[in-house]
Amino acid sequence: MCPKTEPTATPNANKGIKLVLWPDGTWCWRDDFDPAEYAFMSDDYEVIDMGDMPRVERLACEDAQLCADVLKELR
């Protein structure tokens, strides 16, 4: 008899796409982030993986316009 297996979730197509987010709402793609170019910005930033759905959902609740801008660029 085969062991009971659980179906695997569909992979998130946005996993690995990361953005850098500052508390003031400024953001850029992680691939475009060069600390020298952003030296004028605070060191207080967060790197968000777009595949982390719980974090992305919280971000959408916190700042809907930011999410709309990010989604526009993802398309």
Side-chain angles (χ1 to χ4, degrees):
M1 183 190 287
C2 294
K4 183 177 179 182
T5 59
E6 296 294 323
T8 58
T10 305
N12 186 324
N14 295 321
K15 184 177 174 104
I17 298 175
K18 298 179 181 178
L19 63 93
V20 178
L21 176 65
W22 284 267
D24 68 356
T26 303
W27 68 278
C28 72
W29 297 114
R30 175 67 181 104
D31 292 343
D32 296 334
F33 178 67
D34 178 359
E37 289 182 25
Y38 287 89
F40 64 95
M41 296 292 293
S42 161
D43 288 343
D44 181 24
Y45 60 84
E46 177 182 8
V47 178
I48 299 173
D49 187 323
M50 297 306 289
D52 178 4
M53 287 313 296
R55 179 59 187 112
V56 172
E57 288 170 355
R58 283 194 313 274
L59 178 62
C61 291
E62 293 166 4
D63 193 338
Q65 185 57 53
L66 172 73
C67 280
D69 295 343
V70 170
L71 287 173
K72 183 178 177 182
E73 291 220 14
L74 280 174
R75 291 184 182 139

